[in-house]
Amino acid sequence: MTRKNAVDVKKWNAEYQWQPFADPNAVANDKPLIIESGKGSIVYDIDGKEYIDGQGGLWNVNAGHGRKEIIDAITEQLNQLQFYSLFGGTTHSRSIELSKLLVDMTAEEGMKRVFFSTGGSEAVETALKLARQYWKLNGQAQRTKIISLQRAYHGVGYGGLSANGTPAFRRMFEPLMSGFFRVESPYFYRNPFTDDPSELARICAMMLERTIIDQSPDTVAAFIAEPIQGAGGIIVPPAEYWRLVREVCDKYGVLLIADEVVTGFGRTGSLFGSRLWGVKPDMMIFAKGINSGYVPLGATMFNDRIEQAFKDHPDAGFMHGNTYLAHPLACAAAIANLDMVVKEGLAQNAGEVGTYFISRLAELGHRQKHVGEVRGRGLMIGVELVADKPTKTRFADSDYFGHCVARRCRDNGVLIRNVYDTFIISPPLILTKAQVDRMVEVMEEALTYQTGVFAGK
Ligand SMILES: Cc1ncc(COP(=O)(O)O)c(C=O)c1O
């Protein structure tokens, strides 16, 4: 189906609008691809050209594009009630049903309550505010500090940005919030300490402990981290890491917040990233896969420990929230989506197809001189590109190596995201092995081509 005003839309593209996380000058010379429609793991551009959606939208379209069950749930809700507020003594049925469903689904992690928002960044701000209020209600108002990981991504609010571990994302908006500290990330491929993953887990947990001690434990409110770091480059921690982190947090009473915006609801092959590591955080943060991106939604969940601090306390009022939190359409979409996640076994499929994908990419990595490492869990996969494999030397920014490979993949019908020369592969969880084969074929051709261009420079 071609859009009637396609000529105008193409002309107006990037003329009136700025793109997120982008240099407007660069965008002017490299206009964004206009995606027009989608079905399952496939999307089509404005000219009708077909692509495998290796990005899964923005690692959120877990159930796939155009799923009738979700569209029907949204439409039914739209016809019944398009909006009502949760402020000042009202609510609506879909938010109540979804809160029960979420608490049931996270029973293993001990989550007791949910506070909704409209996306990941807001859900992070909610968690940080809850952490600070928790300590105030507990009579330890001086516990305000937040510790996070290098290379962390926790959204774009000032709290989440202050916890962000990528200097380039922070630089232009400093000064950020005070009282935020970062510790070493368990990034095995580039760690300077050890070639034993278990040892790295111990070292990184020890560094967290030393930072807590250095800051004085009675001033530290919480440690926040992604169960697998996503935007920072798909950093899968050693298996022991999260258990050790939980022990350190417990030793000093520090709250543990798991940012599951990407890892939540099946992407890693486990229903939750925390479950993958067998850890019970004090809070879990969700967005993206909660309703596969059909309508914006975020959720911050917390356990009994936090709930109890607010119980019958004179200062228990949580003075936070915004108009569109728990939007009825978003909640209806989430209920339908989570039903599919369970009934269609999307976590299992992500695990199975992801394992196949990683093994195919690992073979490709042996053949390709610029593939430094292939890593990931389920359908959360990273391919780190390097200029020189033995020394792990990075490409210069001016080489645009990863960018050019990703663009060639796009030209050949595969969308993958390149973030600082690491491909982030995060397709819908319904991806098939045949689609994996096609993606690997296209990636291999693009890598071979760009390797030739680079060699001839
Ligand atoms: C781990 C994590 N936390 C928070 C966010 C922010 O979510 P949103 O973009 O919905 O605000 C993201 C977004 O990618 C994320 O990956």
Side-chain angles (χ1 to χ4, degrees):
M1 189 181 64
T2 316
R3 181 170 276 283
K4 279 207 204 78
N5 64 346
V7 174
D8 285 338
V9 169
K10 285 185 195 172
K11 193 167 76 201
W12 299 333
N13 186 14
E15 286 300 310
Y16 300 97
Q17 182 185 185
W18 275 16
Q19 302 294 124
F21 281 86
D23 171 349
N25 305 297
V27 172
N29 299 317
D30 182 21
K31 302 216 174 191
L33 178 71
I34 306 171
I35 299 296
E36 195 68 5
S37 62
K39 200 83 202 147
S41 298
I42 303 293
V43 289
Y44 301 87
D45 72 13
I46 193 160
D47 297 318
K49 184 174 167 185
E50 179 178 322
Y51 304 83
I52 299 178
D53 185 8
Q55 307 182 166
L58 196 58
W59 40 23
N60 57 344
V61 186
N62 290 7
H65 298 274
R67 297 298 306 258
K68 187 173 179 319
E69 299 87 332
I70 304 179
I71 295 168
D72 285 349
I74 295 170
T75 314
E76 196 179 312
Q77 183 58 41
L78 190 54
N79 284 319
Q80 187 186 322
L81 176 74
Q82 90 294 349
F83 175 79
Y84 215 81
S85 155
L86 268 69
F87 284 56
T90 56
T91 185
H92 56 79
S93 297
R94 294 299 88 74
S95 82
I96 298 169
E97 288 165 358
L98 179 59
S99 59
K100 157 111 176 71
L101 180 58
L102 289 171
V103 170
D104 288 349
M105 284 181 95
T106 54
E108 199 172 316
E109 283 71 31
M111 295 299 111
K112 282 279 164 24
R113 299 270 175 169
V114 54
F115 190 96
F116 288 111
S117 51
T118 63
S121 298
E122 281 173 11
V124 167
E125 301 306 306
T126 303
L128 299 177
K129 286 183 178 178
L130 271 172
R132 286 192 164 173
Q133 185 164 351
Y134 165 85
W135 285 114
K136 290 198 169 53
L137 301 188
N138 255 315
Q140 297 188 54
Q142 74 286 2
R143 279 215 194 228
T144 59
K145 292 175 186 168
I146 306 290
I147 302 176
S148 59
L149 288 177
Q150 290 171 5
R151 301 179 80 98
Y153 188 80
H154 298 297
V156 294
Y158 259 93
L161 184 61
S162 303
N164 187 292
T166 301
F169 294 171
R170 298 193 308 262
R171 227 159 40 96
M172 286 298 155
F173 309 116
E174 289 173 341
L176 300 177
M177 286 177 66
S178 60
F180 281 67
F181 303 88
R182 277 174 294 280
V183 294
E184 196 75 36
S185 147
Y187 180 16
F188 187 68
Y189 181 63
R190 291 198 181 275
N191 93 85
F193 310 111
T194 174
D195 53 13
D196 173 7
S198 305
E199 182 66 14
L200 181 65
R202 280 192 291 278
I203 291 170
C204 290
M206 182 184 73
M207 285 179 163
L208 170 63
E209 177 165 18
R210 287 170 70 85
T211 300
I212 292 172
I213 293 168
D214 178 56
Q215 288 302 324
S216 184
D218 64 350
T219 68
V220 179
F223 173 62
I224 180 169
E226 302 147 83
I228 292 177
Q229 289 186 268
I234 313 286
I235 298 168
V236 185
E240 302 84 350
Y241 176 71
W242 270 79
R243 182 180 52 77
L244 294 173
V245 160
R246 179 75 265 188
E247 278 174 25
V248 169
C249 288
D250 285 345
K251 190 166 167 190
Y252 300 99
V254 171
L255 293 170
L256 177 57
I257 306 173
D259 183 344
E260 298 244 16
V261 166
V262 172
T263 53
F265 308 109
R267 178 152 296 284
T268 68
S270 169
L271 205 48
F272 303 110
S274 303
R275 200 167 289 180
L276 190 62
W277 307 129
V279 74
K280 292 182 178 19
D282 296 295
M283 286 190 235
M284 295 169 87
I285 299 169
F286 299 113
K288 298 196 188 263
I290 193 169
N291 68 10
S292 292
Y294 281 70
V295 184
L297 182 68
T300 306
M301 301 193 67
F302 51 91
N303 64 8
D304 195 50
R305 173 181 177 189
I306 295 178
E307 190 183 11
Q308 285 309 318
F310 284 74
K311 200 141 216 138
D312 301 326
H313 197 290
D315 290 323
F318 186 49
M319 298 302 154
H320 174 71
N322 56 7
T323 306
Y324 293 116
L325 66 84
H327 194 286
L329 302 185
C331 293
I335 294 165
N337 174 68
L338 295 177
D339 187 53
M340 276 168 28
V341 168
V342 174
K343 287 202 181 124
E344 295 185 4
L346 293 190
Q348 288 91 318
N349 193 61
E352 249 176 69
V353 177
T355 303
Y356 176 68
F357 207 155
I358 290 169
S359 73
R360 292 284 336 261
L361 287 170
E363 290 161 20
L364 170 151
H366 289 132
R367 294 190 292 270
Q368 291 290 335
K369 65 187 276 200
H370 293 303
V371 171
E373 191 185 44
V374 174
R375 52 183 180 254
R377 276 299 179 97
L379 287 170
M380 187 174 178
I381 304 171
V383 179
E384 183 163 340
L385 304 177
V386 289
D388 181 58
K389 218 188 265 206
T391 58
K392 303 182 185 173
T393 308
R394 296 176 201 273
F395 285 103
D397 287 351
S398 54
D399 291 332
Y400 292 108
F401 189 89
H403 174 81
C404 292
V405 179
R407 279 292 187 269
R408 194 167 171 90
C409 290
R410 180 168 118 175
D411 291 345
N412 291 324
V414 168
L415 298 183
I416 40 171
R417 208 149 69 95
N418 168 57
V419 179
Y420 295 115
D421 285 333
T422 295
F423 289 141
I424 293 185
I425 303 173
S426 53
L429 309 187
I430 55 170
L431 196 79
T432 63
K433 288 185 181 168
Q435 286 169 328
V436 170
D437 290 341
R438 176 69 191 141
M439 288 181 74
V440 174
E441 192 186 330
V442 168
M443 287 176 75
E444 176 121 49
E445 189 278 339
L447 277 163
T448 305
Y449 175 83
Q450 197 57 34
T451 300
V453 173
F454 185 67
K457 263 189 179 174

